Amino acid sequence: MFEYEGDLPVYLIRHAQSENNELEHQLRQQYPDLDVFWKHYEQARSHDPALSQKGIRQAESLADHLKSVKIDGEKILFCSALHRSIHTAQHVSKALGVKPTLWVDIFEEGGMYQEKQKEIMGGKSNAEIEALGVNIDPSFTVGVKAKCSDKGWWNYPKETDEEAYERALAVVKRLFELSKEYAGKKVSLFLVSHGDFMNSLLRVFLKCERKLTRKELYLYHDNCGVTQVVINPSGEVKLGFLNRHVHAFTEPAGADTTSHTSP
């Protein structure tokens, strides 16, 4: 683990297994042909899935682990406006002793969409998010499409890959701004986000060539996988660890511990 005076540790946490992840695993077994699988998956997936029962166990296990880790100073916990991120953050919140704050820009790539309906989905309103125990603080928002709103946070068609990458650039820029704001203070940031977007964030942090496809480079995270990136105001980036996770070791004997890549 890298951490020096003046550094800002940023912990990227992928949400626990969602009902979509569980659905993906089931359909992959049923449809070995990838084209056929994706057709059925996109038709059946939820635009805002809850955690599966396995996901709840994973989030509880992650929280238990965090309780055992000594983390000095102020802790700030962020989540996206998607149900699976909020639900995971609720468990992390209990472990860290801090209330989660909405950072609306750290949602999964694509936003809120449902292939079979082709309509704008809207998402949770501010009131619905606050009712789940999440603070609303627009000051962290970088303003790339998603907005904190009483009418829902997502009012657009499906996000493109290019738009998602531009959002990752904006979020990383905001994190470096925060490293300046918190300079001289002992602060750790925790972002409960999503697999594809975390891959994009890390590619930006590590200055990977933008033209590289996901087949050429994908920085994968298991459900509840944790990555530590340490930054400072001078622009330095240190990768402390990648995709560290504990939940696989606490599953009941015989439980499925396969990790999945869908949102």
Side-chain angles (χ1 to χ4, degrees):
M1 179 187 299
F2 292 103
E3 192 175 336
Y4 302 102
E5 187 174 350
D7 286 343
L8 177 65
V10 179
Y11 296 90
L12 304 176
I13 304 173
R14 187 186 175 197
H15 63 81
Q17 188 194 66
S18 72
E19 291 174 344
N20 277 359
N21 298 146
E22 186 175 50
L23 172 68
E24 179 193 8
H25 177 65
Q26 294 168 351
L27 291 179
R28 279 189 184 276
Q29 292 181 320
Q30 189 174 353
Y31 301 106
D33 183 281
L34 275 180
D35 291 335
V36 175
F37 155 72
W38 280 116
K39 178 180 177 181
H40 283 85
Y41 174 74
E42 289 294 347
Q43 290 295 316
R45 68 183 288 279
S46 167
H47 62 279
D48 194 11
L51 295 186
S52 66
Q53 289 302 306
K54 176 181 175 180
I56 293 171
R57 295 196 303 271
Q58 290 174 343
E60 291 172 344
S61 181
L62 173 63
D64 288 341
H65 174 70
L66 290 173
K67 287 177 185 176
S68 70
V69 177
K70 189 178 187 305
I71 303 172
D72 296 326
E74 182 181 1
K75 296 173 279 291
I76 303 175
L77 171 62
F78 296 103
C79 63
S80 78
L82 288 163
H83 194 170
R84 56 198 184 272
S85 173
I86 293 174
H87 196 173
T88 304
Q90 288 171 332
H91 290 276
V92 175
S93 172
K94 295 174 184 176
L96 298 180
V98 296
K99 193 174 180 179
T101 295
L102 174 67
W103 190 341
V104 71
D105 305 291
I106 63 172
F107 62 90
E108 180 59 302
E109 296 185 0
M112 296 270 291
Y113 68 94
Q114 185 67 287
E115 294 286 354
K116 64 185 178 185
Q117 295 177 352
K118 302 292 183 183
E119 67 200 47
I120 293 172
M121 306 307 296
K124 289 180 171 54
S125 67
N126 281 359
E128 291 172 320
I129 292 170
E130 288 179 317
L132 293 170
V134 178
N135 290 323
I136 303 290
D137 185 350
S139 67
F140 294 101
T141 303
V142 298
V144 181
K145 279 199 170 183
K147 306 284 185 183
C148 301
S149 166
D150 289 331
K151 296 182 179 179
W153 64 275
W154 182 256
N155 294 292
Y156 302 91
K158 183 179 179 181
E159 181 185 48
T160 66
D161 290 344
E162 184 66 21
E163 290 170 334
Y165 192 85
E166 290 298 324
R167 177 163 54 90
L169 286 169
V171 169
V172 168
K173 179 181 178 182
R174 183 72 179 106
L175 286 167
F176 275 109
E177 291 172 354
L178 291 175
S179 75
K180 295 177 181 178
E181 292 178 27
Y182 298 135
K185 301 178 182 178
K186 190 70 173 176
V187 179
S188 297
L189 305 185
F190 297 79
L191 279 65
V192 181
S193 188
H194 306 264
D196 286 346
F197 190 60
M198 287 166 59
N199 167 61
S200 292
L201 285 177
L202 285 172
R203 287 168 64 123
V204 172
F205 270 127
L206 301 176
K207 296 180 174 60
C208 300
E209 287 190 44
R210 192 165 179 170
K211 65 181 181 180
L212 289 174
T213 66
R214 288 185 183 178
K215 288 185 178 180
E216 293 173 304
L217 176 65
Y218 187 89
L219 299 163
Y220 176 79
H221 287 81
D222 293 287
N223 292 119
C224 281
V226 183
T227 286
Q228 185 205 51
V229 179
V230 181
I231 62 176
N232 62 39
S234 67
E236 292 181 350
V237 177
K238 297 183 280 285
L239 182 62
F241 50 80
L242 177 69
N243 192 29
R244 182 174 292 179
H245 57 96
V246 296
H247 60 77
F249 303 106
T250 57
E251 285 289 327
D256 166 37
T257 56
T258 305
S259 298
H260 314 297
T261 56
S262 64

